[in-house]
Amino acid sequence: MTPIEGCSMERIPLAIVGCGGMGTRHLYGLAELERASLNPFELVAVVDVDPGRAERLADEAESWLGRRRPSRCVDVRQLVKAGATAVDITTVPRFHHSLAAEAIALGLDVMVEKPVGLTIAAAQQLAREIRGSDRILSVAENFRRDPTNRLVKELIDTGVLGQPRYFHQSSGGGGNLMAISMWRHLKDESGILFDAGTHYTDMMEYYLGPVTSAYAQMRLFEPIRYNPAATGGTPASNPGGVYGQSQAAMPAEFEATAEDALYAMVNFASGAVGQYAENRAEHGRDTWARSVHGSAGAVEIPKDRSGQPLVLTLDRTHTYTGAEILPLVPDFQLDDATAALFGGGQATAYGLDFETVDRLLLAVEYAEFGSCIGSRTRPEVGLEEGLRAIAVCYAMMESGAAGGAIVTVDDVLDGSVSGYQASIDAAIEIGANA
């Protein structure tokens, strides 16, 4: 190990497993920590089934981090020999649970991209396999770490909104174009409703606590998706600016098997009610709305990673925007890493582009992961939170697949309701009683 600049701690030997778009974005987040002299890690190895992708990420790591070039390994088992004691799993979702279990069995601490499992059965299998382990398992959930979302949480927890009554989120866009990658339109690979939905269900419970049940309608509006990058066009979506090359190699058009629209009502244990609509087949203007309403007022919340300010209205007459909110929550304070990266402990809005914000939030994930390893403390988003995000998402989707029946989160968690997931479990070879 080597010392961290300005700190007596030694760096934690880290490996990135999965060197595609998400792995590249995570590397950029690590580079932001390095730039801020906050990086607790030494990237010693990278792993990918495609040697070319692994070589490219190793080259980028040497350039972005300004440190020694990490080794390229062919599988997780080689990481111990390479000196890694921690891994960051950024593969496609179907491998998250099995790679996390394998790494923990090898004695490695793990940060794994969400979802922690492609189905409830997959995540429960992981839970059984790591039971009794003292290794850290952190689920990389970045939306809740946005400073604006931290401020929303403060408004709720301190009672500024009064008793929370209603959560609303609706968004639309995409038309018939591919969303980032082909697998996001394939049910057995993690369709777009599940891939995006686990972000949003995590936000629901972060704000308002446990969801108990849901009922929904679900549709597949666009059975054929188009990829303009395959014919030399501009990618339809390319977050982080790292997917263009891989998109060009994907089919120009393909059959979608995962639904692309979900309309749901959710019930919270607190008595609050939520309304959720996600339309990834919208042919009109892209839309976004999120808000939390309480007995004293409501807060309108900008899109995650947009850097736009909150708008708070109390008693229907008094409106506060951005920094005007701070006197209402005088004890609001971001954690040290977020404060350092976003320009202050009470950042309420920031004029940064998406790619920069994306990197900074991933940097915050890494900072917390390193802190948890050093102190042997539980991460903010661990297996329990990651499992619940999956369960709430599937409660909505199971209801939609069943024509709108009310589905409880507990029934999804214990496997009593799993019909929609059955074909996915079969595809990833998870047994019915796994």
Side-chain angles (χ1 to χ4, degrees), residues 143-207:
F143 283 18
R144 63 163 65 200
R145 302 181 193 277
D146 192 313
T148 55
N149 287 327
R150 295 301 202 192
L151 184 54
V152 173
K153 178 68 168 170
E154 185 79 359
L155 291 170
I156 295 169
D157 288 351
T158 58
V160 172
L161 297 180
Q163 180 64 34
R165 294 174 173 174
Y166 173 62
F167 168 87
H168 171 84
Q169 181 174 317
S170 59
S171 60
N176 60 7
L177 300 179
M178 182 178 74
I180 309 176
S181 301
M182 183 177 173
W183 61 260
R184 287 180 172 85
H185 300 282
L186 304 178
K187 178 182 176 182
D188 294 346
E189 297 285 345
S190 179
I192 189 64
L193 295 181
F194 182 66
D195 183 58
T198 51
H199 274 306
Y200 298 138
T201 53
D202 177 74
M203 292 306 305
M204 289 180 197
E205 294 208 333
Y206 174 62
Y207 288 150

Side-chain angles (χ1 to χ4, degrees), residues 207-289:
Y207 288 150
L208 296 178
V211 172
T212 56
S213 63
Y215 54 99
Q217 292 288 313
M218 188 165 56
R219 300 287 187 271
L220 172 54
F221 286 132
E222 297 292 345
I224 303 297
R225 287 278 168 166
Y226 298 91
N227 170 25
T231 53
T234 301
S237 55
N238 186 11
V242 299
Y243 296 93
Q245 184 175 350
S246 60
Q247 288 173 332
M250 295 176 189
E253 63 178 82
F254 57 90
E255 181 181 358
T257 58
E259 291 82 359
D260 49 30
L262 179 67
Y263 310 96
M265 297 293 293
V266 299
N267 295 302
F268 292 87
S270 66
V273 176
Q275 186 176 25
Y276 176 82
E278 180 76 2
N279 182 3
R280 292 302 182 113
E282 173 60 59
H283 283 265
R285 183 172 60 183
D286 286 0
T287 59
W288 169 266

Side-chain angles (χ1 to χ4, degrees), residues 9-330:
M9 283 183 59
E10 291 188 322
R11 289 183 183 255
I12 302 162
L14 173 76
I16 293 177
V17 179
C19 301
M22 202 68 233
T24 302
R25 288 163 67 185
H26 276 231
L27 171 63
Y28 294 170
L30 200 60
E32 291 293 340
L33 272 191
E34 186 73 35
R35 196 168 5 256
S37 298
L38 295 172
N39 182 15
F41 296 103
E42 182 75 31
L43 186 62
V44 298
V46 295
V47 181
D48 199 278
V49 293
D50 181 336
R53 280 201 303 255
E55 292 289 351
R56 179 195 56 76
L57 194 68
D59 289 340
E60 289 215 41
E62 186 176 26
S63 173
W64 278 79
L65 299 175
R67 305 185 64 80
R68 69 184 176 97
R69 188 177 190 274
S71 303
R72 180 176 66 81
C73 297
V74 298
D75 60 42
V76 172
R77 292 185 299 275
Q78 291 186 339
L79 294 181
V80 175
K81 184 177 291 187
T85 62
V87 297
D88 178 18
I89 298 171
T90 57
T91 63
V92 293
R94 65 157 48 201
F95 301 113
H96 288 178
H97 73 288
S98 56
L99 287 171
E102 183 178 6
I104 287 174
L106 290 169
L108 305 173
D109 292 310
V110 172
M111 182 164 77
V112 58
E113 255 299 332
K114 63 87 208 163
V116 71
L118 193 51
T119 64
I120 289 295
Q124 296 284 26
Q125 178 175 298
L126 168 63
R128 285 193 301 276
E129 292 184 9
I130 68 173
R131 188 172 293 135
S133 171
D134 64 353
R135 296 298 87 192
I136 301 295
L137 176 62
S138 176
V139 180
E141 181 49 71
N142 55 344
F143 283 18
R144 63 163 65 200
R145 302 181 193 277
D146 192 313
T148 55
N149 287 327
R150 295 301 202 192
L151 184 54
V152 173
K153 178 68 168 170
E154 185 79 359
L155 291 170
I156 295 169
D157 288 351
T158 58
V160 172
L161 297 180
Q163 180 64 34
R165 294 174 173 174
Y166 173 62
F167 168 87
H168 171 84
Q169 181 174 317
S170 59
S171 60
N176 60 7
L177 300 179
M178 182 178 74
I180 309 176
S181 301
M182 183 177 173
W183 61 260
R184 287 180 172 85
H185 300 282
L186 304 178
K187 178 182 176 182
D188 294 346
E189 297 285 345
S190 179
I192 189 64
L193 295 181
F194 182 66
D195 183 58
T198 51
H199 274 306
Y200 298 138
T201 53
D202 177 74
M203 292 306 305
M204 289 180 197
E205 294 208 333
Y206 174 62
Y207 288 150
L208 296 178
V211 172
T212 56
S213 63
Y215 54 99
Q217 292 288 313
M218 188 165 56
R219 300 287 187 271
L220 172 54
F221 286 132
E222 297 292 345
I224 303 297
R225 287 278 168 166
Y226 298 91
N227 170 25
T231 53
T234 301
S237 55
N238 186 11
V242 299
Y243 296 93
Q245 184 175 350
S246 60
Q247 288 173 332
M250 295 176 189
E253 63 178 82
F254 57 90
E255 181 181 358
T257 58
E259 291 82 359
D260 49 30
L262 179 67
Y263 310 96
M265 297 293 293
V266 299
N267 295 302
F268 292 87
S270 66
V273 176
Q275 186 176 25
Y276 176 82
E278 180 76 2
N279 182 3
R280 292 302 182 113
E282 173 60 59
H283 283 265
R285 183 172 60 183
D286 286 0
T287 59
W288 169 266
R290 182 192 287 160
S291 55
V292 177
H293 304 253
S295 59
V299 60
E300 299 166 55
I301 307 164
K303 193 170 186 178
D304 310 288
R305 298 174 289 186
S306 72
Q308 297 301 305
L310 303 177
V311 177
L312 170 68
T313 303
L314 299 178
D315 296 322
R316 302 177 62 202
T317 56
H318 298 86
T319 297
Y320 310 82
T321 303
E324 296 173 352
I325 296 171
L326 291 175
L328 301 173
V329 284

Side-chain angles (χ1 to χ4, degrees), residues 94 97-98 101 116-129 131 194 383 386-387 390-391 394 398 411-434:
R94 65 157 48 201
H97 73 288
S98 56
V116 71
L118 193 51
T119 64
I120 289 295
Q124 296 284 26
Q125 178 175 298
L126 168 63
R128 285 193 301 276
E129 292 184 9
R131 188 172 293 135
F194 182 66
L383 178 59
L387 184 55
I390 295 171
Y394 273 128
E398 292 282 1
D411 281 347
V412 173
L413 280 168
D414 68 17
S416 300
V417 176
S418 60
Y420 181 79
Q421 300 165 74
S423 64
I424 309 173
D425 285 332
I428 61 176
E429 299 181 338
I430 297 290
N433 298 315

